[in-house]
PDB file of all heavy atoms in Angstrom:
ATOM      1  N   PRO A  14     -39.010   3.527  43.664  1.00 70.00           N
ATOM      2  CA  PRO A  14     -38.198   3.389  42.449  1.00 70.00           C
ATOM      3  C   PRO A  14     -38.946   2.609  41.376  1.00 70.00           C
ATOM      4  O   PRO A  14     -39.712   1.691  41.653  1.00 70.00           O
ATOM      5  CB  PRO A  14     -36.965   2.621  42.930  1.00 70.00           C
ATOM      6  CG  PRO A  14     -37.414   1.927  44.166  1.00 70.00           C
ATOM      7  CD  PRO A  14     -38.486   2.787  44.786  1.00 70.00           C
ATOM      8  N   PHE A  22     -31.365   0.699  33.361  1.00 83.00           N
ATOM      9  CA  PHE A  22     -30.058   1.198  33.771  1.00 83.00           C
ATOM     10  C   PHE A  22     -29.036   0.064  33.861  1.00 83.00           C
ATOM     11  O   PHE A  22     -27.896   0.212  33.437  1.00 83.00           O
ATOM     12  CB  PHE A  22     -30.186   1.913  35.119  1.00 83.00           C
ATOM     13  CG  PHE A  22     -28.901   2.505  35.614  1.00 83.00           C
ATOM     14  CD1 PHE A  22     -28.332   3.586  34.970  1.00 83.00           C
ATOM     15  CD2 PHE A  22     -28.265   1.969  36.716  1.00 83.00           C
ATOM     16  CE1 PHE A  22     -27.146   4.128  35.426  1.00 83.00           C
ATOM     17  CE2 PHE A  22     -27.079   2.499  37.176  1.00 83.00           C
ATOM     18  CZ  PHE A  22     -26.522   3.583  36.526  1.00 83.00           C
ATOM     19  N   PHE A  27     -24.419  -2.961  31.436  1.00 86.00           N
ATOM     20  CA  PHE A  27     -23.886  -4.197  30.877  1.00 86.00           C
ATOM     21  C   PHE A  27     -23.374  -3.967  29.462  1.00 86.00           C
ATOM     22  O   PHE A  27     -22.275  -4.402  29.109  1.00 86.00           O
ATOM     23  CB  PHE A  27     -24.971  -5.283  30.871  1.00 86.00           C
ATOM     24  CG  PHE A  27     -24.534  -6.572  30.248  1.00 86.00           C
ATOM     25  CD1 PHE A  27     -23.676  -7.424  30.921  1.00 86.00           C
ATOM     26  CD2 PHE A  27     -24.971  -6.937  28.985  1.00 86.00           C
ATOM     27  CE1 PHE A  27     -23.258  -8.614  30.351  1.00 86.00           C
ATOM     28  CE2 PHE A  27     -24.560  -8.120  28.411  1.00 86.00           C
ATOM     29  CZ  PHE A  27     -23.710  -8.960  29.092  1.00 86.00           C
ATOM     30  N   GLN A  38      -9.404  -5.201  23.910  1.00 58.00           N
ATOM     31  CA  GLN A  38      -8.691  -6.338  23.343  1.00 58.00           C
ATOM     32  C   GLN A  38      -7.620  -5.847  22.380  1.00 58.00           C
ATOM     33  O   GLN A  38      -7.758  -4.825  21.719  1.00 58.00           O
ATOM     34  CB  GLN A  38      -9.661  -7.258  22.596  1.00 58.00           C
ATOM     35  CG  GLN A  38     -10.580  -8.014  23.512  1.00 58.00           C
ATOM     36  CD  GLN A  38     -11.514  -8.931  22.743  1.00 58.00           C
ATOM     37  OE1 GLN A  38     -11.607  -8.837  21.527  1.00 58.00           O
ATOM     38  NE2 GLN A  38     -12.179  -9.793  23.455  1.00 58.00           N
ATOM     39  N   LEU A  52     -11.657 -17.098   9.046  1.00 94.00           N
ATOM     40  CA  LEU A  52     -12.748 -18.019   9.371  1.00 94.00           C
ATOM     41  C   LEU A  52     -14.129 -17.449   9.063  1.00 94.00           C
ATOM     42  O   LEU A  52     -14.967 -18.140   8.475  1.00 94.00           O
ATOM     43  CB  LEU A  52     -12.659 -18.439  10.836  1.00 94.00           C
ATOM     44  CG  LEU A  52     -11.420 -19.246  11.214  1.00 94.00           C
ATOM     45  CD1 LEU A  52     -11.453 -19.607  12.682  1.00 94.00           C
ATOM     46  CD2 LEU A  52     -11.318 -20.496  10.370  1.00 94.00           C
ATOM     47  N   PHE A  56     -16.730 -18.968   6.311  1.00 96.00           N
ATOM     48  CA  PHE A  56     -18.055 -19.399   6.756  1.00 96.00           C
ATOM     49  C   PHE A  56     -19.155 -18.712   5.945  1.00 96.00           C
ATOM     50  O   PHE A  56     -20.093 -19.363   5.476  1.00 96.00           O
ATOM     51  CB  PHE A  56     -18.211 -19.103   8.244  1.00 96.00           C
ATOM     52  CG  PHE A  56     -19.559 -19.445   8.787  1.00 96.00           C
ATOM     53  CD1 PHE A  56     -19.941 -20.765   8.935  1.00 96.00           C
ATOM     54  CD2 PHE A  56     -20.448 -18.443   9.137  1.00 96.00           C
ATOM     55  CE1 PHE A  56     -21.191 -21.091   9.436  1.00 96.00           C
ATOM     56  CE2 PHE A  56     -21.693 -18.758   9.647  1.00 96.00           C
ATOM     57  CZ  PHE A  56     -22.066 -20.081   9.790  1.00 96.00           C
ATOM     58  N   LEU A  68     -30.896 -22.815  -4.402  1.00 96.00           N
ATOM     59  CA  LEU A  68     -31.785 -22.045  -5.276  1.00 96.00           C
ATOM     60  C   LEU A  68     -31.710 -22.510  -6.722  1.00 96.00           C
ATOM     61  O   LEU A  68     -32.738 -22.581  -7.411  1.00 96.00           O
ATOM     62  CB  LEU A  68     -31.487 -20.552  -5.169  1.00 96.00           C
ATOM     63  CG  LEU A  68     -31.883 -19.881  -3.852  1.00 96.00           C
ATOM     64  CD1 LEU A  68     -31.454 -18.418  -3.849  1.00 96.00           C
ATOM     65  CD2 LEU A  68     -33.389 -19.983  -3.651  1.00 96.00           C
ATOM     66  N   SER A  69     -30.512 -22.833  -7.186  1.00 96.00           N
ATOM     67  CA  SER A  69     -30.386 -23.305  -8.566  1.00 96.00           C
ATOM     68  C   SER A  69     -31.055 -24.661  -8.738  1.00 96.00           C
ATOM     69  O   SER A  69     -31.611 -24.962  -9.805  1.00 96.00           O
ATOM     70  CB  SER A  69     -28.915 -23.373  -8.985  1.00 96.00           C
ATOM     71  OG  SER A  69     -28.244 -24.379  -8.248  1.00 96.00           O
TER      72      SER A  69
END
Side-chain angles (χ1 to χ4, degrees):
F22 182 69
F27 177 74
Q38 289 181 349
L52 295 180
F56 177 71
L68 290 177
S69 67

